[in-house]
Amino acid sequence: MFEISDIFIEEKSVLKEGKELLITDTDKPVISFQLQSDRRETSLRSACIRVNNWIAEVKEQIGIKYEGEPLKPFTRYDVEIEAVDDRGNNSTKCAEFMTGRKRLPWSGKWITDEMHVTEKPNSPRPLYFRRKIHLEKAVEESWIVVTAIGIFDVLLDGRRISEDYFSPGFTDYEHNLQYCCYRIGELQEGDHELFVTVAAGWAVGRTTNISNTNQSVSLLTADRQALLAEWYIVYKDGSREVISTDGAYEVTADGPYQYADFYDGEIYDARFKETDWKWRKADVITPDIHPMIEARYGEPVTGHEIFAPISCEEVYSGEKGETEIIYDFGQNLSGVVEFEAEGETGQIIRICHAEALEHGKLYRTNLRSAKQEICYYCRDGKQTYAPRFTYMGFRYISVSGIEKEKIKVQARAIYSDLTVTGDFSCSDERLNQLQKNLVWSGKDNFVDIPTDCPQRDERQGWTGDIALFAGTACFNFQMNRFLGKWLRDMKAEQGKLGAIPFVVPVRKGVTPSITTSCWGDSCILVPYAIYWSTGNREVLHQMYPVMKKYLADVSRWAMAGFIKNHSRYIFSLPFQFGDWCAPYGNPKDWLGKGPWTGTAYYCYACQVMSEIAEALGERADCDFYRKKSEKIKKAYRIRFMDGDGTLNEEFQTGYVLPLYFKMAGQKEAEKMADNLWKLIRENGGHLNTGFTATPYILFALADNGHLKEAYQLLMEDTNPSWLYQVKKGATTMWEQWDVIEENGQVKEASMNHYAYGAVGDFFYRRICGLEPVEAGYRRFRIKPMPGGGLTNAQCSHICIYGTIRVAWRIEEGKMKLKISVPVGTTCEVELPNGKKEELVSGNYELQE
């Protein structure tokens, strides 16, 4: 058997059943395809791709750019791929995609309700828009193109036309705005009504305000929501019509959603009747912003796993003087509670959300000013409710205002529609739980942008977090479109001299744009992770000017610190997070380590930049950044070390970063690793690293003669450690090591930050030994490094070529290894006894 198993257009799978039609405004869509075969050592001889009368003969599977005639707006295109293997077997598969508006001028106008006033700092009430039409003849096909300042939900004749949440998504609205295209299909003649609710979302919600609720300053994209839409209709007789937003639409703020906000939740009045609506003509406006409006290029936010409560307990609240029902869903998640209830008119159901319990009650101090509440006004009888314009970070809820027997609740996880591509398990269930925790923290913080946390009044795209987690994320999820969308905003928001904001999309007037290591390095490290995961050079091309501009600014600041640091290669100014969130000291102590962390990351960024320049064929740049990295290495050792591998001021991060970034020769690195382990031993066998070094500490040990010690550190389960969180019942990664202290007291910190989940890289790349040698896993290595008492481990990863599987087991002191190698790839295998083999496609079993 030889066949094409999947087709990707614009890096999105389009062949699998149930996939929605991809809609793109791209002029030259990129096409890739996967192959599978039941025969070993199968290879691709050639393939023929046909699109729009364009025919391409290729010998590659990925990154084939359409070069045919210009694509027309709102047109379906067939993609036919015929692949032939090395023995002449062939397979043909077809897929399709649709173009969006392309560069058609908008016939629709922006509409709003200019009488709609918001009491700041609160988010505005949702606005409702409607357009009634009468169709004189039957419709063959129709689709709706819609975007908003705010987030929208579209109904046609009372039926929701899409199940996605929070569209058109979170972007830098001054530069980038997505629109969504929803296919309606056939319609009968007669009366129809298009109904659109537009809530605050990110654009006009207090999510983009300063956090202090009492003194919040409005820094919004606009003062109120607005809608832009076009409804395309193709009649069965071949005629066409476009119904666009204009003054013929009606608008009101009087509706069942009394309030909707990401931080605070929703207030919904189910008593609202059709006779209560007070409609007026919509106001046509010209917004102050003029972004590029393109068909959605990110991933939609959708509903996913559903959780039933694992426990339910009634408790008396002395503060409120009423009984509350406490539910535990068993998983910390981002999402909403959906319920069925038997209610009476005027009855108020209140639902509060939290990540933890303390003394049997919800612990909500770590929410800061976020309310995370649902307030629901019942009507008579049975009713159901599911929030549409908010999401919470929670494991526990309290429900008041209704008897336990009259309500049934479930939790639904909400996050971007990401394909899961990675898996890991082993003989130690604690590590398996840790893998689950880091995956869930990824899901929970991938709500349209890579956020830091899903619960408190923050939920922002912190650049440092994803810089550290990008590799782990790209193993577990198909991240290219999701992160590619976010990088567009980073590019738009880069400072004039090169600085990268701490948060993207930037909070206008709040988020600093200061050139600093790790956080700023995200403009290099995130595209680099995407490239190694997918083999797609396009993301490098797009971000290359941003990278160069950023590193030029780093160089300027390093030069500016010459008098202070006695070197033009020490990067300490203007600001460094240093050993941020380390288990020792306080923020002043962490910031004080900035010269070490800044310089190490400067060196690493130049190393990576040299590789990127080589991949892009920029030979001069490749040589320039390589030489600069060598000068920075030398400066680090002169400034901070004694010449023999010992730091002048010893701390764990000071060793970890230069070890992982390969800033020392072998002999010096061995001494540094010895010193690192000595510091760990002196700290009771615990890590003492901050945010910037923790992802790399196990590698720093294992790759420099201390594999046994790396496993000791990984298996530690007292604070601070990864497994301490597991021992305390965590189902996600924590912001701080001891959010729940030994005595059970809960600290004011997030219980859902993914950064420390970057330890997953060690699972895949060292325990299972799987890592790419060439971008996209066209060539990859499997070199397991067992230890820690593990008797087996396995992982899988769906790369662009297919599924790679690795599974090893220790029997009678020797390793038995099973491997699956996709068609189009080559695997370099090295067993612990030094035995090496090179394998091409197929399934294999090896042993020492």
Side-chain angles (χ1 to χ4, degrees):
M1 178 272 294
F2 169 75
E3 68 172 4
I4 298 169
S5 54
D6 205 353
I7 296 174
F8 298 85
I9 300 174
E10 285 299 284
E11 302 175 301
K12 195 168 183 68
S13 170
V14 294
L15 186 60
K16 299 291 176 66
E17 289 186 15
K19 294 286 186 182
E20 287 191 6
L21 185 67
L22 174 69
I23 299 171
T24 180
D25 280 340
T26 306
D27 291 328
K28 297 182 177 182
V30 175
I31 301 168
S32 302
F33 58 95
Q34 285 181 358
L35 299 171
Q36 64 181 27
S37 172
D38 57 4
R39 177 176 64 87
R40 279 188 180 182
E41 301 184 4
T42 299
S43 61
L44 175 68
R45 177 186 295 172
S46 64
C48 180
I49 301 176
R50 297 178 177 88
V51 183
N52 191 27
N53 297 320
W54 173 71
I55 300 175
E57 298 285 344
V58 299
K59 296 184 181 297
E60 299 291 334
Q61 291 177 235
I62 68 171
I64 302 136
K65 188 174 291 188
Y66 170 79
E67 297 288 357
E69 296 176 1
L71 302 176
K72 299 176 182 178
F74 294 126
T75 304
R76 289 192 188 216
Y77 290 97
D78 293 322
V79 179
E80 180 185 275
I81 301 178
E82 181 181 10
V84 182
D85 74 4
D86 55 311
R87 291 194 179 179
N89 301 308
N90 70 338
S91 173
T92 301
K93 288 289 176 68
C94 297
E96 63 176 349
F97 68 93
M98 180 176 172
T99 50
R101 303 184 74 265
K102 302 291 284 180
R103 293 172 183 81
L104 283 178
W106 283 84
S107 61
K109 308 297 182 185
W110 283 101
I111 57 174
T112 189
D113 181 356
E114 292 194 296
M115 296 176 62
H116 192 45
V117 178
T118 303
E119 291 186 11
K120 296 179 174 61
N122 295 321
S123 294
R125 289 179 63 167
L127 284 177
Y128 308 87
F129 299 87
R130 74 176 182 184
R131 175 68 189 273
K132 295 183 176 182
I133 66 167
H134 180 80
L135 298 177
E136 298 288 349
K137 44 193 176 181
V139 173
E140 177 73 26
E141 186 178 10
S142 65
W143 58 89
I144 295 173
V145 174
V146 58
T147 190
I149 298 173
I151 55 177
F152 61 77
D153 202 20
V154 185
L155 283 76
L156 180 63
D157 299 332
R159 178 179 60 88
R160 182 170 289 115
I161 65 173
S162 176
E163 292 302 318
D164 55 3
Y165 290 80
F166 316 146
S167 293
F170 191 9
T171 52
D172 171 18
Y173 300 112
E174 292 186 359
H175 298 91
N176 301 314
L177 181 63
Q178 299 178 116
Y179 70 81
C180 302
C181 185
Y182 301 116
R183 295 160 59 219
I184 306 301
E186 295 186 17
L187 288 173
Q188 298 302 314
E189 61 266 32
D191 293 330
H192 297 275
E193 181 183 75
L194 184 65
F195 188 98
V196 185
T197 306
V198 184
W202 296 281
V204 289
R206 80 177 188 93
T207 311
T208 51
N209 285 359
I210 296 174
S211 296
N212 188 323
T213 304
N214 298 321
Q215 301 178 14
S216 183
V217 177
S218 178
L219 298 163
L220 310 177
T221 298
D223 291 329
R224 59 185 64 82
Q225 304 97 296
L227 174 69
L228 176 65
E230 295 171 344
W231 182 2
Y232 291 80
I233 299 173
V234 180
Y235 294 102
K236 290 191 175 181
D237 64 6
S239 59
R240 293 171 173 254
E241 184 178 6
V242 181
I243 300 169
S244 304
T245 45
D246 56 19
Y249 270 71
E250 294 177 295
V251 64
T252 184
D254 298 321
Y257 287 99
Q258 304 291 299
Y259 185 74
D261 175 81
F262 282 138
Y263 291 161
D264 295 336
E266 288 183 4
I267 301 173
Y268 187 88
D269 192 344
R271 301 168 298 178
F272 216 82
K273 300 182 179 65
E274 188 173 343
T275 54
D276 296 327
W277 297 95
K278 298 176 182 177
W279 296 97
R280 61 183 294 269
K281 293 293 184 183
D283 298 304
V284 176
I285 62 167
T286 301
D288 293 334
I289 58 172
H290 304 283
M292 174 80 72
I293 307 177
E294 295 185 62
R296 177 155 50 198
Y297 44 84
E299 300 285 7
V301 177
T302 54
H304 295 272
E305 296 91 341
I306 294 176
F307 295 88
I310 63 171
S311 70
C312 172
E313 183 178 353
E314 291 184 291
V315 299
Y316 178 73
S317 173
E319 297 175 1
K320 300 177 182 178
E322 61 185 2
T323 298
E324 296 179 332
I325 314 165
I326 304 292
Y327 295 91
D328 176 7
F329 292 101
Q331 175 64 53
N332 199 14
L333 59 96
S334 68
V336 295
V337 171
E338 303 170 339
F339 66 77
E340 299 176 1
E342 181 74 35
E344 300 176 357
T345 297
Q347 183 179 1
I348 303 173
I349 300 174
R350 191 177 301 276
I351 303 176
C352 298
H353 303 68
E355 293 186 295
L357 295 180
E358 189 173 51
H359 309 303
K361 304 288 182 66
L362 298 190
Y363 177 82
R364 287 164 56 81
T365 304
N366 70 335
L367 302 181
R368 299 175 180 170
S369 71
K371 294 179 182 178
Q372 284 213 140
E373 292 182 357
I374 295 297
C375 182
Y376 180 86
Y377 290 82
C378 296
R379 62 179 185 274
D380 280 335
K382 292 183 178 180
Q383 49 214 287
T384 61
Y385 173 71
R388 288 295 301 175
F389 302 111
T390 189
Y391 75 97
M392 324 289 189
F394 67 101
R395 171 175 171 169
Y396 303 90
I397 62 168
S398 69
V399 178
S400 60
I402 192 169
E403 298 172 13
K404 181 171 65 172
E405 294 76 18
K406 293 187 176 182
I407 188 168
K408 180 181 179 181
V409 301
Q410 65 181 22
R412 182 184 296 274
I414 295 175
Y415 50 88
S416 290
D417 192 23
L418 300 171
T419 300
V420 175
T421 57
D423 189 27
F424 168 85
S425 63
C426 67
S427 56
D428 193 317
E429 285 302 319
R430 300 173 303 168
L431 296 187
N432 296 342
Q433 184 62 50
L434 186 57
Q435 165 71 10
K436 292 175 184 176
N437 292 1
L438 69 89
V439 167
W440 266 107
S441 276
K443 291 178 177 180
D444 295 339
N445 283 290
F446 295 153
V447 181
D448 204 64
I449 65 165
T451 61
D452 59 321
C453 60
Q455 77 296 100
R456 67 190 181 208
D457 57 358
E458 194 166 359
R459 313 186 195 186
Q460 302 294 316
W462 282 92
T463 51
D465 296 57
I466 193 61
L468 298 170
F469 191 66
T472 304
C474 288
F475 182 89
N476 287 292
F477 305 101
Q478 194 175 84
M479 297 294 293
N480 38 11
R481 286 175 64 91
F482 178 88
L483 289 176
K485 165 187 167 291
W486 183 72
L487 288 171
R488 286 197 189 196
D489 292 325
M490 178 183 285
K491 185 174 184 177
E493 294 175 342
Q494 184 176 30
K496 291 181 179 180
L497 295 179
I500 300 296
F502 292 167
V503 166
V504 173
V506 72
R507 302 174 83 185
K508 302 293 190 295
V510 178
T511 304
S513 288
I514 301 174
T515 295
T516 189
S517 65
C518 187
W519 279 252
D521 293 329
S522 59
C523 73
I524 298 171
L525 301 182
V526 174
Y528 184 66
I530 297 171
Y531 167 65
W532 273 100
S533 173
T534 65
N536 178 16
R537 287 185 175 84
E538 190 61 29
V539 67
L540 301 183
H541 278 293
Q542 292 171 358
M543 292 299 293
Y544 195 63
V546 177
M547 302 174 192
K548 291 188 68 174
K549 190 175 178 181
Y550 165 73
L551 280 180
D553 203 33
V554 172
S555 180
R556 279 191 291 270
W557 281 109
M559 289 287 288
F562 179 78
I563 295 176
K564 177 182 178 181
N565 298 313
H566 308 293
S567 170
R568 68 186 69 181
Y569 299 109
I570 301 298
F571 180 32
S572 63
L573 299 176
F575 170 82
Q576 300 291 340
F577 281 97
D579 213 7
W580 189 250
C581 278
Y584 65 86
N586 54 48
K588 183 178 179 181
D589 299 318
W590 308 335
L591 297 175
K593 299 298 191 292
W596 287 264
T597 60
T599 305
Y601 268 94
Y602 183 20
C603 179
Y604 185 52
C606 287
Q607 291 177 31
V608 171
M609 195 62 176
S610 178
E611 293 182 32
I612 291 172
E614 183 175 25
L616 295 179
E618 300 286 347
R619 292 292 180 184
D621 284 351
C622 174
D623 189 52
F624 171 79
Y625 289 113
R626 180 183 55 78
K627 289 179 178 178
K628 177 164 279 193
S629 71
E630 293 298 325
K631 293 174 181 176
I632 300 168
K633 287 179 189 178
K634 183 178 179 180
Y636 187 96
R637 296 199 298 270
I638 292 173
R639 176 73 170 79
F640 302 121
M641 307 192 76
D642 67 354
D644 192 34
T646 300
L647 285 167
N648 298 329
E649 182 179 330
E650 290 195 299
F651 64 110
Q652 290 184 20
T653 292
Y655 286 119
V656 170
L657 294 181
L659 280 170
Y660 184 77
F661 297 158
K662 302 187 184 308
M663 296 170 61
Q666 182 177 348
K667 185 177 180 180
E668 191 177 18
E670 289 174 358
K671 176 65 174 178
M672 293 167 69
D674 290 343
N675 288 336
L676 172 60
W677 179 242
K678 179 196 70 173
L679 293 180
I680 294 171
R681 243 185 10 252
E682 291 172 354
N683 198 43
H686 295 96
L687 55 78
N688 208 22
T689 49
F691 193 80
T692 55
T694 300
Y696 311 128
I697 190 169
L698 297 178
F699 291 94
L701 291 168
D703 294 350
N704 293 282
H706 289 275
L707 177 63
K708 177 182 176 182
E709 291 79 3
Y711 271 102
Q712 283 182 239
L713 186 61
L714 174 61
M715 299 300 183
E716 177 60 53
D717 68 356
T718 58
N719 181 49
S721 69
W722 290 281
L723 294 186
Y724 172 78
Q725 300 178 14
V726 172
K727 186 173 70 173
K728 283 296 183 180
T731 60
T732 45
M733 304 303 301
W734 294 349
E735 179 182 19
Q736 297 178 18
W737 297 107
D738 58 345
V739 175
I740 298 178
E741 298 179 339
E742 286 285 4
N743 61 9
Q745 184 172 343
V746 185
K747 293 176 63 175
E748 186 180 345
S750 165
M751 300 181 76
N752 208 342
H753 264 61
Y754 54 60
Y756 289 144
V759 67
D761 260 5
F762 189 80
F763 296 174
Y764 326 132
R765 295 168 53 198
R766 293 297 177 268
I767 296 179
C768 287
L770 170 61
E771 56 185 340
V773 176
E774 291 184 24
Y777 292 84
R778 179 171 181 172
R779 189 175 191 92
F780 60 91
R781 178 184 301 114
I782 294 177
K783 183 183 178 181
M785 298 174 69
L790 298 181
T791 58
N792 65 75
Q794 43 276 321
C795 74
S796 64
H797 176 67
I798 304 172
C799 70
I800 194 68
Y801 292 97
T803 303
I804 302 169
R805 292 186 176 88
V806 183
W808 60 257
R809 180 176 297 278
I810 304 296
E811 294 181 1
E812 299 179 353
K814 293 186 178 181
M815 175 178 286
K816 293 186 176 181
L817 181 65
K818 292 184 178 180
I819 300 172
S820 294
V821 183
V823 175
T825 67
T826 301
C827 174
E828 303 172 1
V829 184
E830 182 174 343
L831 294 169
N833 65 357
K835 180 181 178 181
K836 297 181 181 180
E837 288 196 39
E838 184 170 290
L839 310 173
V840 291
S841 69
N843 299 315
Y844 299 86
E845 294 187 19
L846 297 85
Q847 65 180 34
E848 290 184 290

